[in-house]
Amino acid sequence: MSYVLWTLLSLISYVGGLIIVIKVTPKLQTRSFDEGLFMGWAILDIVGALLAFGAVFITLAVFNGAFAIRVLDFLLLIGILIIAARLAYQSLSSRALAGSVPVSRVLVGGYGIFLMLASFFCITQLFVTK
């Protein structure tokens, strides 16, 4: 497959993954963590994160870590970091959604923190490893 097509598909995957994460994560806060629907939304949220991170790694692998692609991946990872920080802040702040379950809010906040840590780790590994 052409490199341009791989890059285009990975950017579409990135945008779709971030849209899924942005739309689904607030819905997790209104459900109790032991409900089946919470698990369904959580699986969809994890798939969105996999799509977003997968786009970063596909472009890095296809272009063998060229400097321009590392800069593109850096910007994509910064986007994930910003969105994860915003979601974690919204879920852990005292002004959360009306009708939200406290334990679910903490779980969603922890998920956002783990996404931030994963993004930060990938950023550091992007420029440290060769």
Side-chain angles (χ1 to χ4, degrees):
M1 217 185 294
S2 173
Y3 291 156
V4 174
L5 187 58
W6 275 108
T7 305
L8 183 63
L9 287 175
S10 67
L11 290 177
I12 291 171
S13 167
Y14 176 79
V15 170
L18 287 185
I19 288 173
I20 290 172
V21 168
I22 290 171
K23 296 291 183 184
V24 170
T25 304
K27 292 181 182 184
L28 288 172
Q29 297 177 15
T30 59
R31 302 282 178 201
S32 178
F33 72 97
D34 57 350
E35 288 183 28
L37 193 54
F38 180 88
M39 294 299 176
W41 288 120
I43 289 170
L44 189 60
D45 206 7
I46 291 170
V47 167
L50 286 174
L51 286 172
F53 277 105
V56 173
F57 296 121
I58 286 174
T59 56
L60 190 64
V62 166
F63 291 100
N64 294 326
F67 183 73
I69 296 302
R70 286 182 188 229
V71 171
L72 173 69
D73 288 344
F74 173 75
L75 294 175
L76 294 177
L77 287 168
I78 290 294
I80 294 172
L81 183 72
I82 291 170
I83 288 176
R86 185 179 65 94
L87 291 173
Y89 177 73
Q90 285 178 349
S91 65
L92 294 174
S93 69
S94 60
R95 299 177 294 141
L97 294 172
S100 63
V101 180
V103 175
S104 297
R105 284 180 41 211
V106 170
L107 289 174
V108 170
Y111 175 72
I113 290 171
F114 283 130
L115 275 181
M116 287 182 347
L117 290 174
S119 179
F120 183 71
F121 177 75
C122 291
I123 288 171
T124 57
Q125 291 299 309
L126 195 62
F127 292 106
V128 171
T129 59
K130 291 186 180 185

